[in-house]
Amino acid sequence: MLIKSKKYIQKPVRFSYRFLLLGVILSLGLMAFKKHAFHTSITEMRYNAKEKSFEISLRVFKDDLETVLTKENQGKKIVLDKTEKFDPQIDKYIQKHFVWFNARNQRVAYHYLGKEQEGDAMWLYIEMPAQEPISGSKLQNDVLMDEFDDQTNVVNLFYQSEKKSFIFNQKNKVFGVSF
């Protein structure tokens, strides 16, 4: 599904130079190998004070997402396209592997809004209510780690005027969040 209204979601606009470098490395790596040699996702979480919610953009390699969804679909091949056909499977997978826990250690529900393809990547859009203070919360991000041992997930969290970055991997799948 292509998001027609960008009212709630904005694609990330500002990356530091190291993310630019990461993009260059990804591009070169993709040209050198049929399948990419490493596995990385980038997520941006932006707090929208007016809506009291987080607007989340999660970027993964399309083929990696297809691999894990196919595996969870009892081996029946899943090929992602612009249709909404496999959105329920994407939503189920993301809900299981990208989890926000509030300060009382309760899972916070969020809404999968859709996806958008960009080259070899897939943007997944999520909106999560943020009615209570976020200090003391925890974030779990083990997206694609069940399939790829070298998976690294970078999360840039923007809350009010601050930014924090987290790097998730096999050893660090959950981080405490405080501002």
Side-chain angles (χ1 to χ4, degrees), residues 78-127:
I78 289 184
V79 178
L80 299 174
D81 55 23
K82 293 181 181 182
T83 68
E84 299 175 17
K85 181 178 179 181
F86 295 112
D87 281 6
Q89 287 91 336
I90 294 170
D91 183 24
K92 181 180 175 185
Y93 183 82
I94 296 301
Q95 294 278 348
K96 181 178 173 185
H97 295 280
F98 187 87
V99 183
W100 184 273
F101 297 96
N102 64 18
R104 295 181 310 281
N105 207 31
Q106 298 168 324
R107 191 181 197 116
V108 176
Y110 54 80
H111 308 285
Y112 171 78
L113 301 175
K115 67 185 177 311
E116 185 175 23
Q117 187 169 341
E118 182 181 77
D120 292 340
M122 186 71 67
W123 285 100
L124 308 175
Y125 299 111
I126 302 165
E127 184 175 39

Side-chain angles (χ1 to χ4, degrees), residues 26-39:
L26 286 172
S27 298
L28 293 174
L30 288 173
M31 287 186 266
F33 304 100
K34 185 172 181 165
K35 294 263 184 190
H36 50 270
F38 57 96
H39 304 94

Side-chain angles (χ1 to χ4, degrees), residues 158-171:
F158 298 85
Y159 182 71
Q160 296 169 343
S161 62
E162 293 187 54
K163 174 189 172 189
K164 292 202 176 180
S165 295
F166 304 92
I167 299 176
F168 296 83
N169 54 38
Q170 291 293 341
K171 292 181 183 176

Side-chain angles (χ1 to χ4, degrees), residues 8-72:
Y8 296 107
I9 300 296
Q10 295 177 0
K11 281 188 184 177
V13 234
R14 295 178 18 192
F15 286 102
S16 68
Y17 287 110
R18 69 181 157 189
F19 291 115
L20 179 61
L21 178 62
L22 177 63
V24 170
I25 292 170
L26 286 172
S27 298
L28 293 174
L30 288 173
M31 287 186 266
F33 304 100
K34 185 172 181 165
K35 294 263 184 190
H36 50 270
F38 57 96
H39 304 94
T40 304
S41 78
I42 297 175
T43 302
E44 184 170 293
M45 298 179 66
R46 287 195 177 269
Y47 180 69
N48 181 328
K50 182 179 176 186
E51 299 290 329
K52 292 191 180 200
S53 66
F54 276 101
E55 299 165 347
I56 304 167
S57 303
L58 197 154
R59 183 183 186 271
V60 297
F61 283 108
K62 179 184 171 211
D63 63 329
D64 292 348
L65 184 58
E66 289 172 339
T67 298
V68 297
L69 293 177
T70 296
K71 192 174 188 177
E72 290 203 354

Side-chain angles (χ1 to χ4, degrees), residues 133-155:
I134 69 167
S135 285
S137 298
K138 291 186 288 186
L139 179 61
Q140 170 192 322
N141 184 349
D142 59 2
V143 170
L144 302 173
M145 288 184 195
D146 49 340
E147 184 67 24
F148 306 105
D149 291 337
D150 63 336
Q151 180 70 34
T152 300
N153 299 324
V154 177
V155 175

